[in-house]
Amino acid sequence: PTSDKITIEVDENLIGTEALVFNILGQKMSSYILTTTQTIIDVTQYKSGLYLVKLTNDQTASSIKFCKN
């Protein structure tokens, strides 16, 4: 669980990947392009609940869940 930020760490070959943040209802909250191997996303404005981060590029797609307190 987090109350202020999440950190996404990826390998160098995933730089340029799009990170999309969705709430539990599937509404897109924000989007980012990963420009370094470590990206910090500020979630202080999000309401408490479960969220999903989808990482997508031409070669792969994956998702990560997180809980905002």
Side-chain angles (χ1 to χ4, degrees), residues 3 6-7 11-13 15 17-18 21 24-25 27 31-32 34 38-40 47 49-51 54-56 58 60 68:
S3 59
I6 60 170
T7 302
D11 292 333
E12 284 187 18
N13 63 327
I15 291 175
T17 296
E18 184 175 29
V21 181
I24 199 70
L25 300 175
Q27 298 167 317
S31 64
Y32 304 87
L34 305 182
Q38 184 176 6
T39 301
I40 297 172
K47 295 180 181 178
L50 291 174
Y51 292 87
K54 287 183 76 174
L55 303 175
T56 58
D58 293 340
T60 186
K68 165 71 166 61

PDB file of all heavy atoms in Angstrom, residues 3 6-7 11-13 15 17-18 21 24-25 27 31-32 34 38-40 47 49-51 54-56 58 60 68:
ATOM      1  N   SER A   3       0.618   5.840   0.089  1.00  0.00           N
ATOM      2  CA  SER A   3      -0.211   7.021   0.313  1.00  0.00           C
ATOM      3  C   SER A   3       0.230   8.203  -0.542  1.00  0.00           C
ATOM      4  O   SER A   3      -0.505   9.166  -0.682  1.00  0.00           O
ATOM      5  CB  SER A   3      -0.182   7.421   1.788  1.00  0.00           C
ATOM      6  OG  SER A   3       1.147   7.702   2.182  1.00  0.00           O
ATOM      7  N   ILE A   6       4.333   5.794  -6.158  1.00  0.00           N
ATOM      8  CA  ILE A   6       4.775   4.445  -6.498  1.00  0.00           C
ATOM      9  C   ILE A   6       6.001   4.592  -7.387  1.00  0.00           C
ATOM     10  O   ILE A   6       6.167   5.593  -8.083  1.00  0.00           O
ATOM     11  CB  ILE A   6       3.682   3.611  -7.199  1.00  0.00           C
ATOM     12  CG1 ILE A   6       3.240   4.254  -8.504  1.00  0.00           C
ATOM     13  CG2 ILE A   6       2.491   3.376  -6.280  1.00  0.00           C
ATOM     14  CD1 ILE A   6       2.352   3.369  -9.352  1.00  0.00           C
ATOM     15  N   THR A   7       6.860   3.599  -7.355  1.00  0.00           N
ATOM     16  CA  THR A   7       8.070   3.595  -8.165  1.00  0.00           C
ATOM     17  C   THR A   7       8.004   2.422  -9.122  1.00  0.00           C
ATOM     18  O   THR A   7       7.761   1.289  -8.710  1.00  0.00           O
ATOM     19  CB  THR A   7       9.322   3.477  -7.276  1.00  0.00           C
ATOM     20  OG1 THR A   7       9.335   4.568  -6.346  1.00  0.00           O
ATOM     21  CG2 THR A   7      10.595   3.514  -8.110  1.00  0.00           C
ATOM     22  N   ASP A  11      13.883  -2.642 -16.977  1.00  0.00           N
ATOM     23  CA  ASP A  11      15.164  -2.812 -17.650  1.00  0.00           C
ATOM     24  C   ASP A  11      15.311  -1.743 -18.728  1.00  0.00           C
ATOM     25  O   ASP A  11      14.321  -1.178 -19.199  1.00  0.00           O
ATOM     26  CB  ASP A  11      15.242  -4.194 -18.300  1.00  0.00           C
ATOM     27  CG  ASP A  11      15.298  -5.318 -17.280  1.00  0.00           C
ATOM     28  OD1 ASP A  11      15.771  -5.078 -16.149  1.00  0.00           O
ATOM     29  OD2 ASP A  11      14.861  -6.436 -17.625  1.00  0.00           O
ATOM     30  N   GLU A  12      16.540  -1.508 -19.153  1.00  0.00           N
ATOM     31  CA  GLU A  12      16.802  -0.481 -20.158  1.00  0.00           C
ATOM     32  C   GLU A  12      16.049  -0.726 -21.463  1.00  0.00           C
ATOM     33  O   GLU A  12      15.663   0.217 -22.145  1.00  0.00           O
ATOM     34  CB  GLU A  12      18.303  -0.384 -20.437  1.00  0.00           C
ATOM     35  CG  GLU A  12      19.057   0.329 -19.345  1.00  0.00           C
ATOM     36  CD  GLU A  12      20.516   0.572 -19.698  1.00  0.00           C
ATOM     37  OE1 GLU A  12      20.863   0.502 -20.893  1.00  0.00           O
ATOM     38  OE2 GLU A  12      21.297   0.828 -18.770  1.00  0.00           O
ATOM     39  N   ASN A  13      15.828  -1.994 -21.807  1.00  0.00           N
ATOM     40  CA  ASN A  13      15.128  -2.292 -23.065  1.00  0.00           C
ATOM     41  C   ASN A  13      13.649  -1.902 -23.011  1.00  0.00           C
ATOM     42  O   ASN A  13      12.976  -1.912 -24.038  1.00  0.00           O
ATOM     43  CB  ASN A  13      15.292  -3.760 -23.458  1.00  0.00           C
ATOM     44  CG  ASN A  13      14.675  -4.716 -22.466  1.00  0.00           C
ATOM     45  OD1 ASN A  13      14.647  -4.455 -21.272  1.00  0.00           O
ATOM     46  ND2 ASN A  13      14.186  -5.838 -22.959  1.00  0.00           N
ATOM     47  N   ILE A  15      12.662   1.134 -21.732  1.00  0.00           N
ATOM     48  CA  ILE A  15      12.549   2.590 -21.787  1.00  0.00           C
ATOM     49  C   ILE A  15      11.757   2.946 -23.045  1.00  0.00           C
ATOM     50  O   ILE A  15      11.977   2.377 -24.114  1.00  0.00           O
ATOM     51  CB  ILE A  15      13.934   3.247 -21.775  1.00  0.00           C
ATOM     52  CG1 ILE A  15      14.586   3.047 -20.406  1.00  0.00           C
ATOM     53  CG2 ILE A  15      13.842   4.730 -22.114  1.00  0.00           C
ATOM     54  CD1 ILE A  15      16.003   3.546 -20.303  1.00  0.00           C
ATOM     55  N   THR A  17       8.433   2.599 -22.927  1.00  0.00           N
ATOM     56  CA  THR A  17       7.172   1.909 -22.672  1.00  0.00           C
ATOM     57  C   THR A  17       6.158   2.888 -22.092  1.00  0.00           C
ATOM     58  O   THR A  17       6.506   3.786 -21.333  1.00  0.00           O
ATOM     59  CB  THR A  17       7.402   0.744 -21.680  1.00  0.00           C
ATOM     60  OG1 THR A  17       8.265  -0.204 -22.302  1.00  0.00           O
ATOM     61  CG2 THR A  17       6.114   0.061 -21.282  1.00  0.00           C
ATOM     62  N   GLU A  18       4.887   2.706 -22.448  1.00  0.00           N
ATOM     63  CA  GLU A  18       3.818   3.543 -21.898  1.00  0.00           C
ATOM     64  C   GLU A  18       3.286   2.905 -20.625  1.00  0.00           C
ATOM     65  O   GLU A  18       3.059   1.701 -20.569  1.00  0.00           O
ATOM     66  CB  GLU A  18       2.682   3.680 -22.914  1.00  0.00           C
ATOM     67  CG  GLU A  18       1.583   4.605 -22.440  1.00  0.00           C
ATOM     68  CD  GLU A  18       0.520   4.826 -23.486  1.00  0.00           C
ATOM     69  OE1 GLU A  18       0.291   3.936 -24.320  1.00  0.00           O
ATOM     70  OE2 GLU A  18      -0.082   5.904 -23.455  1.00  0.00           O
ATOM     71  N   VAL A  21      -2.303   4.326 -15.826  1.00  0.00           N
ATOM     72  CA  VAL A  21      -2.863   4.058 -14.497  1.00  0.00           C
ATOM     73  C   VAL A  21      -4.384   4.089 -14.607  1.00  0.00           C
ATOM     74  O   VAL A  21      -4.954   5.069 -15.094  1.00  0.00           O
ATOM     75  CB  VAL A  21      -2.384   5.090 -13.462  1.00  0.00           C
ATOM     76  CG1 VAL A  21      -2.959   4.759 -12.082  1.00  0.00           C
ATOM     77  CG2 VAL A  21      -0.862   5.141 -13.411  1.00  0.00           C
ATOM     78  N   ILE A  24     -10.147   1.028 -10.318  1.00  0.00           N
ATOM     79  CA  ILE A  24     -10.758  -0.298 -10.306  1.00  0.00           C
ATOM     80  C   ILE A  24     -11.959  -0.395 -11.261  1.00  0.00           C
ATOM     81  O   ILE A  24     -12.330  -1.478 -11.698  1.00  0.00           O
ATOM     82  CB  ILE A  24     -11.137  -0.728  -8.860  1.00  0.00           C
ATOM     83  CG1 ILE A  24     -11.341  -2.235  -8.756  1.00  0.00           C
ATOM     84  CG2 ILE A  24     -12.354   0.038  -8.377  1.00  0.00           C
ATOM     85  CD1 ILE A  24     -10.071  -3.007  -8.885  1.00  0.00           C
ATOM     86  N   LEU A  25     -12.519   0.759 -11.643  1.00  0.00           N
ATOM     87  CA  LEU A  25     -13.639   0.786 -12.594  1.00  0.00           C
ATOM     88  C   LEU A  25     -13.177   0.805 -14.041  1.00  0.00           C
ATOM     89  O   LEU A  25     -13.990   0.812 -14.955  1.00  0.00           O
ATOM     90  CB  LEU A  25     -14.529   2.002 -12.314  1.00  0.00           C
ATOM     91  CG  LEU A  25     -15.152   2.074 -10.924  1.00  0.00           C
ATOM     92  CD1 LEU A  25     -15.908   3.385 -10.749  1.00  0.00           C
ATOM     93  CD2 LEU A  25     -16.060   0.884 -10.688  1.00  0.00           C
ATOM     94  N   GLN A  27     -11.331   3.264 -15.396  1.00  0.00           N
ATOM     95  CA  GLN A  27     -11.173   4.633 -15.887  1.00  0.00           C
ATOM     96  C   GLN A  27      -9.699   5.014 -15.854  1.00  0.00           C
ATOM     97  O   GLN A  27      -9.023   4.819 -14.840  1.00  0.00           O
ATOM     98  CB  GLN A  27     -11.973   5.605 -15.023  1.00  0.00           C
ATOM     99  CG  GLN A  27     -13.456   5.327 -15.046  1.00  0.00           C
ATOM    100  CD  GLN A  27     -14.191   6.080 -13.948  1.00  0.00           C
ATOM    101  OE1 GLN A  27     -13.735   6.148 -12.808  1.00  0.00           O
ATOM    102  NE2 GLN A  27     -15.348   6.622 -14.297  1.00  0.00           N
ATOM    103  N   SER A  31      -1.317   8.830 -17.652  1.00  0.00           N
ATOM    104  CA  SER A  31      -0.432   8.048 -18.514  1.00  0.00           C
ATOM    105  C   SER A  31       0.957   8.683 -18.515  1.00  0.00           C
ATOM    106  O   SER A  31       1.100   9.899 -18.342  1.00  0.00           O
ATOM    107  CB  SER A  31      -0.985   7.957 -19.936  1.00  0.00           C
ATOM    108  OG  SER A  31      -1.029   9.230 -20.531  1.00  0.00           O
ATOM    109  N   TYR A  32       1.946   7.856 -18.692  1.00  0.00           N
ATOM    110  CA  TYR A  32       3.343   8.275 -18.661  1.00  0.00           C
ATOM    111  C   TYR A  32       4.118   7.481 -19.701  1.00  0.00           C
ATOM    112  O   TYR A  32       3.773   6.346 -19.986  1.00  0.00           O
ATOM    113  CB  TYR A  32       3.984   7.993 -17.283  1.00  0.00           C
ATOM    114  CG  TYR A  32       3.251   8.611 -16.136  1.00  0.00           C
ATOM    115  CD1 TYR A  32       2.198   7.953 -15.516  1.00  0.00           C
ATOM    116  CD2 TYR A  32       3.605   9.870 -15.665  1.00  0.00           C
ATOM    117  CE1 TYR A  32       1.512   8.532 -14.459  1.00  0.00           C
ATOM    118  CE2 TYR A  32       2.922  10.453 -14.602  1.00  0.00           C
ATOM    119  CZ  TYR A  32       1.878   9.774 -14.019  1.00  0.00           C
ATOM    120  OH  TYR A  32       1.197  10.348 -12.972  1.00  0.00           O
ATOM    121  N   LEU A  34       7.838   5.942 -19.987  1.00  0.00           N
ATOM    122  CA  LEU A  34       9.000   5.672 -19.146  1.00  0.00           C
ATOM    123  C   LEU A  34      10.260   6.118 -19.885  1.00  0.00           C
ATOM    124  O   LEU A  34      10.608   5.550 -20.908  1.00  0.00           O
ATOM    125  CB  LEU A  34       9.064   4.191 -18.795  1.00  0.00           C
ATOM    126  CG  LEU A  34       7.800   3.602 -18.142  1.00  0.00           C
ATOM    127  CD1 LEU A  34       8.011   2.131 -17.808  1.00  0.00           C
ATOM    128  CD2 LEU A  34       7.407   4.380 -16.904  1.00  0.00           C
ATOM    129  N   GLN A  38      13.890   4.078 -13.887  1.00  0.00           N
ATOM    130  CA  GLN A  38      13.119   4.254 -12.653  1.00  0.00           C
ATOM    131  C   GLN A  38      12.204   5.477 -12.799  1.00  0.00           C
ATOM    132  O   GLN A  38      12.679   6.580 -13.064  1.00  0.00           O
ATOM    133  CB  GLN A  38      14.032   4.438 -11.455  1.00  0.00           C
ATOM    134  CG  GLN A  38      13.294   4.531 -10.142  1.00  0.00           C
ATOM    135  CD  GLN A  38      14.248   4.607  -8.962  1.00  0.00           C
ATOM    136  OE1 GLN A  38      15.447   4.691  -9.110  1.00  0.00           O
ATOM    137  NE2 GLN A  38      13.694   4.570  -7.776  1.00  0.00           N
ATOM    138  N   THR A  39      10.912   5.249 -12.641  1.00  0.00           N
ATOM    139  CA  THR A  39       9.921   6.318 -12.754  1.00  0.00           C
ATOM    140  C   THR A  39       9.109   6.374 -11.473  1.00  0.00           C
ATOM    141  O   THR A  39       8.622   5.343 -10.997  1.00  0.00           O
ATOM    142  CB  THR A  39       8.978   6.068 -13.951  1.00  0.00           C
ATOM    143  OG1 THR A  39       9.767   5.994 -15.142  1.00  0.00           O
ATOM    144  CG2 THR A  39       7.951   7.171 -14.094  1.00  0.00           C
ATOM    145  N   ILE A  40       8.960   7.560 -10.911  1.00  0.00           N
ATOM    146  CA  ILE A  40       8.156   7.751  -9.707  1.00  0.00           C
ATOM    147  C   ILE A  40       6.857   8.434 -10.109  1.00  0.00           C
ATOM    148  O   ILE A  40       6.871   9.459 -10.782  1.00  0.00           O
ATOM    149  CB  ILE A  40       8.917   8.583  -8.661  1.00  0.00           C
ATOM    150  CG1 ILE A  40      10.177   7.828  -8.228  1.00  0.00           C
ATOM    151  CG2 ILE A  40       8.020   8.895  -7.464  1.00  0.00           C
ATOM    152  CD1 ILE A  40      11.107   8.626  -7.351  1.00  0.00           C
ATOM    153  N   LYS A  47      -7.983   8.919  -4.915  1.00  0.00           N
ATOM    154  CA  LYS A  47      -8.764   8.478  -3.757  1.00  0.00           C
ATOM    155  C   LYS A  47      -8.257   7.117  -3.295  1.00  0.00           C
ATOM    156  O   LYS A  47      -7.633   6.383  -4.064  1.00  0.00           O
ATOM    157  CB  LYS A  47     -10.241   8.367  -4.123  1.00  0.00           C
ATOM    158  CG  LYS A  47     -10.879   9.699  -4.467  1.00  0.00           C
ATOM    159  CD  LYS A  47     -12.337   9.514  -4.812  1.00  0.00           C
ATOM    160  CE  LYS A  47     -12.966  10.848  -5.178  1.00  0.00           C
ATOM    161  NZ  LYS A  47     -14.372  10.692  -5.564  1.00  0.00           N
ATOM    162  N   GLY A  49      -8.116   3.292  -2.631  1.00  0.00           N
ATOM    163  CA  GLY A  49      -8.675   2.183  -3.393  1.00  0.00           C
ATOM    164  C   GLY A  49      -7.606   1.429  -4.162  1.00  0.00           C
ATOM    165  O   GLY A  49      -6.405   1.682  -4.006  1.00  0.00           O
ATOM    166  N   LEU A  50      -8.063   0.506  -5.001  1.00  0.00           N
ATOM    167  CA  LEU A  50      -7.166  -0.304  -5.813  1.00  0.00           C
ATOM    168  C   LEU A  50      -6.988   0.331  -7.182  1.00  0.00           C
ATOM    169  O   LEU A  50      -7.941   0.858  -7.766  1.00  0.00           O
ATOM    170  CB  LEU A  50      -7.726  -1.718  -5.983  1.00  0.00           C
ATOM    171  CG  LEU A  50      -7.736  -2.590  -4.745  1.00  0.00           C
ATOM    172  CD1 LEU A  50      -8.441  -3.901  -5.039  1.00  0.00           C
ATOM    173  CD2 LEU A  50      -6.318  -2.852  -4.272  1.00  0.00           C
ATOM    174  N   TYR A  51      -5.771   0.232  -7.704  1.00  0.00           N
ATOM    175  CA  TYR A  51      -5.430   0.780  -9.007  1.00  0.00           C
ATOM    176  C   TYR A  51      -4.595  -0.235  -9.776  1.00  0.00           C
ATOM    177  O   TYR A  51      -3.987  -1.130  -9.187  1.00  0.00           O
ATOM    178  CB  TYR A  51      -4.650   2.088  -8.862  1.00  0.00           C
ATOM    179  CG  TYR A  51      -5.502   3.192  -8.304  1.00  0.00           C
ATOM    180  CD1 TYR A  51      -5.640   3.357  -6.931  1.00  0.00           C
ATOM    181  CD2 TYR A  51      -6.189   4.064  -9.147  1.00  0.00           C
ATOM    182  CE1 TYR A  51      -6.447   4.354  -6.412  1.00  0.00           C
ATOM    183  CE2 TYR A  51      -6.997   5.061  -8.634  1.00  0.00           C
ATOM    184  CZ  TYR A  51      -7.118   5.202  -7.274  1.00  0.00           C
ATOM    185  OH  TYR A  51      -7.925   6.184  -6.764  1.00  0.00           O
ATOM    186  N   LYS A  54      -0.762  -0.444 -16.210  1.00  0.00           N
ATOM    187  CA  LYS A  54      -0.490  -1.283 -17.377  1.00  0.00           C
ATOM    188  C   LYS A  54       0.721  -0.724 -18.102  1.00  0.00           C
ATOM    189  O   LYS A  54       0.771   0.461 -18.412  1.00  0.00           O
ATOM    190  CB  LYS A  54      -1.691  -1.304 -18.328  1.00  0.00           C
ATOM    191  CG  LYS A  54      -2.854  -2.110 -17.807  1.00  0.00           C
ATOM    192  CD  LYS A  54      -3.984  -2.153 -18.822  1.00  0.00           C
ATOM    193  CE  LYS A  54      -3.612  -3.109 -19.931  1.00  0.00           C
ATOM    194  NZ  LYS A  54      -4.725  -3.310 -20.888  1.00  0.00           N
ATOM    195  N   LEU A  55       1.686  -1.589 -18.342  1.00  0.00           N
ATOM    196  CA  LEU A  55       2.883  -1.230 -19.101  1.00  0.00           C
ATOM    197  C   LEU A  55       2.776  -1.881 -20.475  1.00  0.00           C
ATOM    198  O   LEU A  55       2.629  -3.099 -20.570  1.00  0.00           O
ATOM    199  CB  LEU A  55       4.143  -1.718 -18.390  1.00  0.00           C
ATOM    200  CG  LEU A  55       4.346  -1.233 -16.958  1.00  0.00           C
ATOM    201  CD1 LEU A  55       5.565  -1.899 -16.342  1.00  0.00           C
ATOM    202  CD2 LEU A  55       4.476   0.268 -16.911  1.00  0.00           C
ATOM    203  N   THR A  56       2.821  -1.082 -21.525  1.00  0.00           N
ATOM    204  CA  THR A  56       2.681  -1.625 -22.873  1.00  0.00           C
ATOM    205  C   THR A  56       3.686  -0.993 -23.825  1.00  0.00           C
ATOM    206  O   THR A  56       3.974   0.193 -23.744  1.00  0.00           O
ATOM    207  CB  THR A  56       1.268  -1.391 -23.445  1.00  0.00           C
ATOM    208  OG1 THR A  56       0.990   0.002 -23.443  1.00  0.00           O
ATOM    209  CG2 THR A  56       0.209  -2.096 -22.623  1.00  0.00           C
ATOM    210  N   ASP A  58       5.540  -2.186 -28.049  1.00  0.00           N
ATOM    211  CA  ASP A  58       5.333  -3.020 -29.241  1.00  0.00           C
ATOM    212  C   ASP A  58       5.563  -4.507 -28.991  1.00  0.00           C
ATOM    213  O   ASP A  58       5.046  -5.344 -29.711  1.00  0.00           O
ATOM    214  CB  ASP A  58       6.247  -2.565 -30.383  1.00  0.00           C
ATOM    215  CG  ASP A  58       5.890  -1.190 -30.891  1.00  0.00           C
ATOM    216  OD1 ASP A  58       4.749  -0.740 -30.667  1.00  0.00           O
ATOM    217  OD2 ASP A  58       6.762  -0.553 -31.524  1.00  0.00           O
ATOM    218  N   THR A  60       5.572  -6.145 -25.594  1.00  0.00           N
ATOM    219  CA  THR A  60       5.073  -6.774 -24.376  1.00  0.00           C
ATOM    220  C   THR A  60       3.997  -5.935 -23.707  1.00  0.00           C
ATOM    221  O   THR A  60       3.853  -4.747 -23.982  1.00  0.00           O
ATOM    222  CB  THR A  60       6.237  -7.026 -23.386  1.00  0.00           C
ATOM    223  OG1 THR A  60       5.759  -7.766 -22.279  1.00  0.00           O
ATOM    224  CG2 THR A  60       6.831  -5.733 -22.899  1.00  0.00           C
ATOM    225  N   LYS A  68      -3.965   2.326  -2.833  1.00  0.00           N
ATOM    226  CA  LYS A  68      -3.740   3.683  -2.330  1.00  0.00           C
ATOM    227  C   LYS A  68      -4.482   3.825  -1.016  1.00  0.00           C
ATOM    228  O   LYS A  68      -5.676   3.576  -0.943  1.00  0.00           O
ATOM    229  CB  LYS A  68      -4.249   4.704  -3.366  1.00  0.00           C
ATOM    230  CG  LYS A  68      -4.426   6.120  -2.872  1.00  0.00           C
ATOM    231  CD  LYS A  68      -3.138   6.818  -2.604  1.00  0.00           C
ATOM    232  CE  LYS A  68      -3.237   8.307  -2.431  1.00  0.00           C
ATOM    233  NZ  LYS A  68      -4.011   8.863  -1.387  1.00  0.00           N
TER     234      LYS A  68
END
